[in-house]
Amino acid sequence: EVTTTGNIGYKTDTASVRIGVTGSVIIISNSGLSADSVVINNKIYIRLTDSDENRLAAIETIKVTVYTQLSNDSEIIELTETTSTSGIFEGSVNTILGDSVYNNGTVEIFGTDVISIRYYDGIDAVGLLNQIREDTGKVQEEGRLKIVDNLSGNNNELTSLLMSDSIYIQIVDGDYDFS
């Protein structure tokens, strides 16, 4: 709207101003509960909550970065909004035991590694820009012992023994940390 009075003119307009909300990012289990560890060869599930990232009345995406401390891997993962107005974004990434291969869509980890999920919050509740939001989790892979039949050569796990039998013990530990 433009209004002119004599030689003075002014223009008025209205606009919506979005107030920032402090976002958060967490590692979750496959059932959606908060988790503090991840298991090798399983997915890392991620949830990011930040309602000011819900800009359109459509399902949107946002990116986070997954870092590892020991294997030194990093992967950029795209999360998808759960509904068109939720401001809650979820996604997952596969893990595997091994040395890092950057940007291959899989996080390579070691048995005693620590995983970090990092997100830059564009504007938080007090107006601070590009604040890091992060969650960490430890890698967990439990080793176990098996009593096996070594005589057959195929290491079949035994469920019973005779007192006179020799036993062969096999250590199964997928992450090789022997914990």
Side-chain angles (χ1 to χ4, degrees), residues 20-27 46-53 62-67 79 115-136:
V21 174
T22 300
S24 68
V25 63
I26 61 171
I27 299 170
I46 303 162
R47 176 180 296 139
L48 184 147
T49 304
D50 193 347
S51 60
D52 62 13
E53 291 296 336
I62 196 162
K63 293 182 181 178
V64 298
T65 305
V66 178
Y67 297 94
L79 308 180
I115 304 293
S116 295
I117 313 296
R118 189 174 294 164
Y119 153 70
Y120 288 90
D121 189 351
I123 184 168
D124 70 9
V126 295
L128 296 174
L129 303 177
N130 299 318
Q131 299 298 298
I132 295 174
R133 306 292 173 223
E134 186 171 34
D135 192 23
T136 60

Side-chain angles (χ1 to χ4, degrees):
E1 168 186 340
V2 176
T3 306
T4 305
T5 306
N7 293 336
I8 302 172
Y10 62 93
K11 180 177 180 181
T12 61
D13 199 357
T14 59
S16 297
V17 177
R18 285 176 121 7
I19 297 173
V21 174
T22 300
S24 68
V25 63
I26 61 171
I27 299 170
I28 58 174
S29 66
N30 62 353
S31 61
L33 301 174
S34 180
D36 59 2
S37 64
V38 298
V39 178
I40 294 173
N41 296 322
N42 286 357
K43 290 185 176 199
I44 299 171
Y45 295 92
I46 303 162
R47 176 180 296 139
L48 184 147
T49 304
D50 193 347
S51 60
D52 62 13
E53 291 296 336
N54 179 50
R55 297 181 177 135
L56 306 172
I59 292 178
E60 299 171 84
T61 60
I62 196 162
K63 293 182 181 178
V64 298
T65 305
V66 178
Y67 297 94
T68 62
Q69 287 183 1
L70 296 177
S71 63
N72 202 29
D73 195 9
S74 90
E75 300 290 332
I76 296 172
I77 307 302
E78 188 170 78
L79 308 180
T80 303
E81 195 171 14
T82 57
T83 69
S84 63
T85 58
S86 69
I88 299 170
F89 302 80
E90 293 184 347
S92 65
V93 61
N94 290 320
T95 66
I96 191 167
L97 177 70
D99 293 326
S100 64
V101 179
Y102 296 108
N103 298 318
N104 67 344
T106 299
V107 177
E108 288 81 17
I109 52 182
F110 295 141
T112 55
D113 225 329
V114 175
I115 304 293
S116 295
I117 313 296
R118 189 174 294 164
Y119 153 70
Y120 288 90
D121 189 351
I123 184 168
D124 70 9
V126 295
L128 296 174
L129 303 177
N130 299 318
Q131 299 298 298
I132 295 174
R133 306 292 173 223
E134 186 171 34
D135 192 23
T136 60
K138 292 185 177 186
V139 171
Q140 175 183 338
E141 176 69 27
E142 295 183 12
R144 65 185 186 101
L145 295 176
K146 288 176 28 176
I147 299 173
V148 296
D149 170 17
N150 200 36
L151 296 176
S152 66
N154 59 13
N155 290 331
N156 290 326
E157 188 167 7
L158 297 176
T159 56
S160 63
L161 295 170
L162 298 174
M163 290 296 289
S164 60
D165 286 347
S166 296
I167 63 168
Y168 299 90
I169 298 175
Q170 183 179 52
I171 298 173
V172 179
D173 190 13
D175 59 10
Y176 305 109
D177 70 353
F178 299 105
S179 60

